[in-house]
Amino acid sequence: MLSLHKQLLRSSNFSGYTFKIASILNYSTHKRHRTSSNSPHHHHPSHRINPNKTNNQTNNLRRLFQPIDVKPLITTDKLDSTSSKDSDADIGRELTGGKTLERNALLRVITDFYRRDEIKKLAADQGLDIRLFQDAYVSFRKFCIQSTVLPVDLHIVLSDIISGSGHVTDIFPYFLRHAREMFPHLSCMEDLKKISDLRDPANWYPDARAIQRKIIFHAGPTNSGKTYHALQSYMNSDSGVYCGPLKLLASEVFYKTNAAGTKCDLVTGEERRFADPEGKPANHVACTVEMTNLTTVYDVAVIDEIQMMRDPQRGWAWTRALLGIQAKEIHLCGEASTIRLIQELMVTTGDDVEVREYKRLTKLNYQERALETFDNVKPGDCFVCFSKNDIFHITRELERRGHEVAVIYGSLPPGTKLLQAQRFNDPTDSCKIMVATDAIGMGLNLSIKRIIFYSLVKPQLNEQGEKEKDAVTTSQALQIAGRAGRFASAFPDGEVTTFRRDDLPLLKEIVSRQVETIKRAGLHPTAEQIEMFAYHLPKHSLSSLIDIFVLLSQLDDSIFFMCNVEDVKFLADIIEHVPLPLRARYTFSCAPINKKMPFVCTMFLKYARQYSRSEPTTFDWLAKQISWPFEIPNTIMDLVHLEEVFDCLDLYLWLSFRFADMFPDKELVRGIQAELDQIIHAGVQNIVKLIHRASRLEDAKDVAVTTSTTEKTAEVVAAISEETKSTNSSTRTNAPQIRSIIGLEEELDIDTTNTLTTSIPDNKIEKPQEKSTIPLTMNTHKVLHSYLNALKTQAETRGHEFNETEDLIKQLIAKGLLSQRSVDKLEKQLATFNDNDKKTSKKRETTKTMTFNNTNKKNKLK
């Protein structure tokens, strides 16, 4: 038989195959040479490989990359969809002398191919693990046996191997071609691995690497003054950024810095507040750590609670800030257990590290006796528990004994937390006991005499995102216990105990342990990396892309770990069916919401649908979704629902800073959020009554809900504001004067006693869907009223004083608590909303008139 090359050269009809087959043969020869050589495979140096991850890849790649069925070629098929020649002309058989490939010989060759170890190694190099290789082999064997006509090049190679003039490994390029049809990701696997290579995150920030930075670690326990010293350097610098774990902490630094005479802006995921009334950026910024700007150069940066780098969900934000901030001097505040990790990380960046250790400023005594009964409580006590049910039980028992109680837990709005803290801290207030979750661990200044652990068991999330109940860690116990006693407060020395006698030895054992050294920092895929994955795998869902990224990612697991992405995937799955661009989909999926709140998840989906339709999410639309105006909570479930509504408003504000055109009414939303904050605070004030009322309402579900109109709601809000000023709450004569800003004076005279239903001639009642129209129209001016009162109340908790005879807006602007630009925006949005609402009302009145006339005509005809 003539050589294949000569045959192909002689056949002018198939000269196009010559280069293709030659290059494939050369490729297989090269591969065979590589396989037979004794040279070891090259691996990335000095990085540890996690064997568990390799097992996970083997188990999960098959699930993530679903195979595409490659059908055998039969005589009625086309070899090439662009060719007009029928496959009945078996060109491969012609070129090999007209011989048909025998089935048994073909099976022997393919089986021999499959059993060779060098083939499996070659397949692994191309991204085919054992299971994918098996799937591809089964499909390839089926294709070769069941096809009545094979592709020309494959037929020739198989014929040569059967006749003894070829080697079985020559099949590999054709097998790989078949596998890539089944699994399209194989053709870009190398690119995917490069994109997900996270082994050297320090080099992601070349601008930061161009600066010789000095790292100063302030290490110490709670109430040791470490953050104070770091903030002194921050306030005295020419420019600086403070990165905190919570909005409350960022807000506190914002107020303190401005009060000290250094202009400072506030940046959180939901809010931008400028010290300058005209909106000119200040040289100093206080922000939440996720919002850290890595493109601005600062003199001093402060990263608070640096031990949060170990957090399974948010740790990536601290890692990003530490590696990427462009600052000459970076102050880190946190636990001493993080020192070793920081020193190792700074070796990769080339930055100098200085450690300053601090000791607690006041005494902290662990008592020898547990509390055992609620009758033994004293002023300054704070109960710490880890579930809402425990909070409700403790609060009920304490109020039954005549104690007023302040309540703080994680899902409460920031303003409510501040007002509850103010009640507890105020020496003239009758509230002397606090019940809280570990939300008091950071972000609030509290005058606590004694911490009482009601329980030591806390639901915790591991690195896999799985919830498990376990005793609090030493670090958590010390953080919470350290809140007892505070330097320069009413209770400088602190005490710690438990409620149950059996828990006291366990608590002492926990706090006596050495705090576990933090060994690894969190990492997280960026939007750009996910976009690059989507470019190569356009048919995959966002959730699947994230899974593939995590599975293929390579990182030095001796110092880094991949943060849990289950929350992002959960939100991505919720909006998977909503048509969105990938970047917008990823941004939505990164929204900071609690997936255990059904109403919040529902609103999240509605926001995404509005965005996909290119319909702006206006205040008018939002007000109907959340049943604004709000009512004072009547049961504990009402209070929980209002907390969820508050989170929905937070989500709106978060989205408004990422999609400003599609979420345009942020000032209006911030206004009703401030009103809602006050209403939730009113509910928390009466939380025991709500608990009792809930049990009564189970047997009387038709009890009328009190305070159902916005006018009454506004009165309660105003009463709360007056209450905080320790004035007579029965009158409103001392309410701050709010200037009239939109010309809504005529609405002040509307009779608010009107019922929400309107009788029509046939004695039927108007549909309840139109219920909200009247209150929306007649109370728009109260949005601003509530907003300003809330700002004023929160400012008073920080020591600001106001003159009741002067314009409140001017005072807020002068104190840097409100910008004129915000007021102008709010006026404009309120005016637009009012105009739209009047048009809707006018249209509805026209419809009612037409209905009335039609009814009269029908009656006359009868």
Side-chain angles (χ1 to χ4, degrees):
M1 185 176 65
L2 294 172
S3 72
L4 296 177
H5 289 286
K6 290 181 179 179
Q7 286 192 52
L8 289 169
L9 289 171
R10 285 182 179 182
S11 176
S12 60
N13 292 333
F14 305 105
S15 59
Y17 284 94
T18 307
F19 177 76
K20 180 179 178 182
I21 293 177
S23 61
I24 291 176
L25 290 172
N26 289 335
Y27 174 77
S28 66
T29 303
H30 172 67
K31 282 290 185 183
R32 189 162 64 248
H33 175 72
R34 265 189 63 191
T35 306
S36 60
S37 69
N38 295 322
S39 60
H41 291 283
H42 174 70
H43 292 288
H44 197 286
S46 74
H47 291 298
R48 214 169 67 183
I49 297 174
N50 187 346
N52 293 330
K53 179 157 184 188
T54 304
N55 293 334
N56 286 338
Q57 284 184 326
T58 302
N59 294 332
N60 294 329
L61 275 174
R62 187 179 186 186
R63 175 178 62 83
L64 293 176
F65 298 116
Q66 294 297 322
I68 296 172
D69 187 27
V70 181
K71 295 181 180 180
L73 291 176
I74 57 175
T75 54
T76 56
D77 288 337
K78 305 291 183 184
L79 272 176
D80 186 353
S81 60
T82 62
S83 172
S84 61
K85 297 190 176 182
D86 198 283
S87 60
D88 288 340
D90 193 341
I91 301 167
R93 188 169 58 181
E94 274 185 39
L95 293 175
T96 55
K99 291 183 179 180
T100 303
L101 299 176
E102 292 184 6
R103 187 174 187 275
N104 289 337
L106 193 56
L107 277 173
R108 281 196 302 270
V109 169
I110 296 174
T111 303
D112 184 24
F113 170 82
Y114 170 70
R115 288 174 177 171
R116 289 180 174 266
D117 289 337
E118 61 266 35
I119 294 299
K120 293 176 182 177
K121 290 178 181 178
L122 282 172
D125 287 344
Q126 298 299 322
L128 284 163
D129 63 37
I130 296 299
R131 292 193 178 185
L132 293 181
F133 178 71
Q134 288 174 346
D135 285 349
Y137 161 71
V138 170
S139 177
F140 181 69
R141 183 181 64 182
K142 178 182 175 183
F143 176 84
C144 292
I145 298 301
Q146 295 185 3
S147 293
T148 58
V149 55
L150 291 172
V152 178
D153 48 1
L154 177 59
H155 188 109
I156 293 171
V157 169
L158 289 172
S159 178
D160 281 356
I161 295 170
I162 292 172
S163 64
S165 58
H167 194 277
V168 69
T169 54
D170 292 342
I171 301 174
F172 183 77
Y174 308 96
F175 168 77
L176 182 61
R177 181 174 67 187
H178 183 91
R180 284 175 173 169
E181 285 187 57
M182 287 184 65
F183 303 105
H185 73 277
L186 293 175
S187 59
C188 58
M189 183 57 75
E190 289 303 315
D191 290 331
L192 296 180
K193 287 182 177 179
K194 287 178 182 177
I195 295 167
S196 57
D197 190 341
L198 310 180
R199 287 176 290 187
D200 198 3
N203 286 337
W204 299 351
Y205 311 102
D207 292 335
R209 300 291 76 77
I211 301 174
Q212 183 58 48
R213 308 183 308 171
K214 182 178 181 181
I215 311 296
I216 302 174
F217 195 135
H218 302 266
T222 306
N223 199 14
S224 61
K226 57 184 185 297
T227 307
Y228 169 81
H229 287 94
L231 287 177
Q232 288 301 111
S233 299
Y234 164 78
M235 293 181 187
N236 294 329
S237 65
D238 292 332
S239 63
V241 59
Y242 167 85
C243 312
L246 300 171
K247 286 185 284 187
L248 274 176
L249 275 173
S251 299
E252 195 66 28
V253 171
F254 166 74
Y255 286 115
K256 282 183 178 178
T257 307
N258 282 297
T262 301
K263 285 189 176 182
C264 176
D265 296 338
L266 176 66
V267 178
T268 69
E270 300 78 24
E271 184 177 11
R272 307 286 192 282
R273 196 180 298 179
F274 296 97
D276 185 86
E278 302 301 321
K280 181 181 177 182
N283 291 333
H284 288 73
V285 177
C287 66
T288 45
V289 66
E290 285 88 352
M291 301 304 296
T292 305
N293 187 337
L294 303 184
T295 61
T296 304
V297 180
Y298 303 98
D299 286 331
V300 171
V302 176
I303 306 177
D304 207 355
E305 305 294 349
I306 190 64
Q307 73 275 0
M308 292 284 286
M309 294 172 75
R310 69 179 168 201
D311 187 82
Q313 275 70 43
R314 298 177 64 202
W316 62 270
W318 276 264
T319 306
R320 170 182 173 270
L322 176 61
L323 297 179
I325 282 182
Q326 298 185 61
K328 301 171 186 175
E329 194 173 281
I330 300 178
H331 294 258
L332 309 179
C333 305
E335 297 176 5
S337 58
T338 323
I339 293 175
R340 177 181 161 189
L341 175 60
I342 296 301
Q343 290 171 334
E344 289 181 8
L345 284 173
M346 293 306 99
V347 169
T348 67
T349 63
D351 297 322
D352 299 327
V353 180
E354 175 188 339
V355 178
R356 300 177 186 175
E357 297 200 45
Y358 300 80
K359 294 183 178 180
R360 185 177 169 88
L361 297 173
T362 59
K363 293 180 181 179
L364 185 64
N365 300 315
Y366 288 86
Q367 294 186 324
E368 297 300 323
R369 294 183 60 185
L371 192 71
E372 297 189 275
T373 172
F374 292 108
D375 295 326
N376 293 334
V377 297
K378 298 183 295 186
D381 279 351
C382 175
F383 286 85
V384 175
C385 43
F386 302 107
S387 76
K388 279 189 178 180
N389 286 337
D390 285 345
I391 285 180
F392 299 152
H393 169 69
I394 296 169
T395 304
R396 185 167 55 232
E397 291 297 321
L398 291 172
E399 291 208 357
R400 188 179 294 167
R401 290 164 172 78
H403 298 286
E404 289 190 31
V405 181
V407 178
I408 293 177
Y409 50 88
S411 58
L412 286 178
T416 299
K417 290 177 184 174
L418 285 172
L419 289 172
Q420 289 292 302
Q422 183 204 19
R423 285 188 67 211
F424 179 74
N425 289 339
D426 188 354
T428 63
D429 197 292
S430 55
C431 173
K432 301 299 180 188
I433 311 294
M434 174 170 284
V435 180
T437 63
D438 56 340
I440 64 165
M442 59 180 74
L444 289 168
N445 293 323
L446 298 167
S447 296
I448 298 173
K449 174 62 176 175
R450 179 170 59 174
I451 288 285
I452 303 164
F453 282 90
Y454 187 73
S455 169
L456 292 173
V457 177
K458 177 187 177 183
Q460 317 227 29
L461 288 178
N462 57 27
E463 288 186 9
Q464 287 72 43
E466 301 164 346
K467 181 171 280 191
E468 49 192 26
K469 284 193 173 184
D470 200 357
V472 293
T473 65
T474 301
S475 175
Q476 292 167 340
L478 291 174
Q479 181 88 7
I480 296 168
R483 305 300 289 178
R486 187 169 186 83
F487 184 72
S489 73
F491 304 110
D493 295 336
E495 299 172 355
V496 184
T497 189
T498 61
F499 182 77
R500 297 175 180 84
R501 185 187 306 176
D502 295 343
D503 285 340
L504 194 56
L506 177 59
L507 174 64
K508 291 186 176 181
E509 180 195 342
I510 290 173
V511 297
S512 64
R513 297 174 192 158
Q514 185 72 27
V515 177
E516 185 179 355
T517 301
I518 299 173
K519 298 177 181 178
R520 300 192 295 167
L523 294 176
H524 193 274
T526 65
E528 291 77 13
Q529 288 168 327
I530 297 299
E531 277 185 334
M532 292 172 73
F533 256 53
Y535 171 78
H536 291 290
L537 303 171
K539 294 184 180 180
H540 283 69
S541 67
L542 176 56
S543 181
S544 177
L545 289 172
I546 293 172
D547 271 335
I548 296 168
F549 184 96
V550 172
L551 192 62
L552 295 179
S553 62
Q554 303 172 73
L555 48 81
D556 180 1
D557 63 355
S558 65
I559 194 170
F560 295 110
F561 69 91
M562 180 66 72
C563 282
N564 185 268
V565 292
E566 290 306 311
D567 286 352
V568 178
K569 286 169 52 186
F570 174 82
L571 296 181
D573 288 337
I574 288 179
I575 59 174
E576 179 56 37
H577 64 287
V578 180
L580 292 170
L582 181 70
R583 177 59 74 100
R585 187 182 301 279
Y586 187 74
T587 302
F588 268 90
S589 301
C590 290
I593 66 175
N594 187 345
K595 66 181 182 183
K596 293 183 179 179
M597 293 182 170
F599 184 70
V600 181
C601 293
T602 301
M603 287 300 299
F604 169 76
L605 177 58
K606 290 181 178 180
Y607 287 153
R609 282 177 177 160
Q610 283 286 104
Y611 182 93
S612 70
R613 300 187 194 111
S614 297
E615 296 178 6
T617 305
T618 62
F619 178 72
D620 194 4
W621 177 91
L622 180 62
K624 295 172 184 175
Q625 302 296 322
I626 60 175
S627 302
W628 184 81
F630 307 119
E631 297 177 348
I632 296 295
N634 198 45
T635 67
I636 198 69
M637 293 309 297
D638 291 342
L639 179 62
V640 171
H641 175 69
L642 289 180
E643 291 169 8
E644 291 194 25
V645 172
F646 189 93
D647 280 1
C648 293
L649 300 180
D650 247 3
L651 176 59
Y652 182 101
L653 294 174
W654 190 88
L655 291 168
S656 73
F657 285 107
R658 288 146 184 87
F659 309 107
D661 294 339
M662 301 305 294
F663 297 86
D665 295 340
K666 59 178 177 288
E667 299 299 336
L668 274 173
V669 171
R670 188 170 287 114
I672 64 169
Q673 191 183 43
E675 173 192 349
L676 179 57
D677 200 337
Q678 297 281 351
I679 292 173
I680 291 173
H681 179 253
V684 174
Q685 293 277 74
N686 298 292
I687 197 166
V688 172
K689 293 179 182 177
L690 298 186
I691 296 169
H692 287 311
R693 194 174 295 153
S695 58
R696 290 201 304 269
L697 286 179
E698 287 180 2
D699 299 324
K701 293 183 179 180
D702 58 341
V703 174
V705 178
T706 58
T707 63
S708 60
T709 65
T710 308
E711 188 67 20
K712 292 180 181 178
T713 301
E715 289 175 3
V716 175
V717 170
I720 296 167
S721 299
E722 294 300 312
E723 208 174 90
T724 60
K725 295 183 292 183
S726 301
T727 59
N728 185 5
S729 60
S730 62
T731 64
R732 300 176 61 189
T733 55
N734 293 328
Q737 298 297 315
I738 308 297
R739 65 178 183 179
S740 178
I741 60 170
I742 312 178
L744 295 178
E745 297 87 343
E746 69 277 6
E747 293 187 6
L748 296 174
D749 297 326
I750 291 180
D751 182 9
T752 58
T753 61
N754 289 343
T755 59
L756 296 180
T757 56
T758 306
S759 297
I760 53 178
D762 59 356
N763 293 324
K764 293 181 180 179
I765 302 298
E766 189 181 7
K767 292 181 180 181
Q769 283 86 344
E770 299 182 2
K771 171 182 173 182
S772 62
T773 304
I774 295 175
L776 281 175
T777 303
M778 77 181 165
N779 288 292
T780 48
H781 69 288
K782 286 187 171 56
V783 175
L784 182 66
H785 185 151
S786 300
Y787 183 30
L788 296 177
N789 267 311
L791 282 178
K792 177 174 179 288
T793 302
Q794 292 178 19
E796 286 176 333
T797 66
R798 295 183 171 90
H800 290 282
E801 295 182 355
F802 292 86
N803 190 329
E804 299 294 337
T805 61
E806 295 181 11
D807 187 278
L808 179 57
I809 291 179
K810 289 181 179 178
Q811 292 185 76
L812 289 169
I813 292 174
K815 295 176 184 295
L817 305 172
L818 183 68
S819 69
Q820 183 61 51
R821 191 169 62 167
S822 296
V823 175
D824 294 339
K825 284 184 180 179
L826 187 60
E827 290 179 356
K828 184 178 179 181
Q829 290 174 2
L830 276 171
T832 303
F833 172 73
N834 188 48
D835 290 342
N836 292 338
D837 201 53
K838 285 183 176 179
K839 289 177 183 177
T840 304
S841 299
K842 186 175 180 181
K843 185 177 180 180
R844 188 172 283 111
E845 289 299 325
T846 304
T847 304
K848 286 181 182 178
T849 303
M850 293 173 65
T851 304
F852 178 76
N853 292 337
N854 290 335
T855 304
N856 282 343
K857 287 180 182 180
K858 288 179 182 179
N859 291 336
K860 287 179 181 179
L861 288 173
K862 287 180 182 179

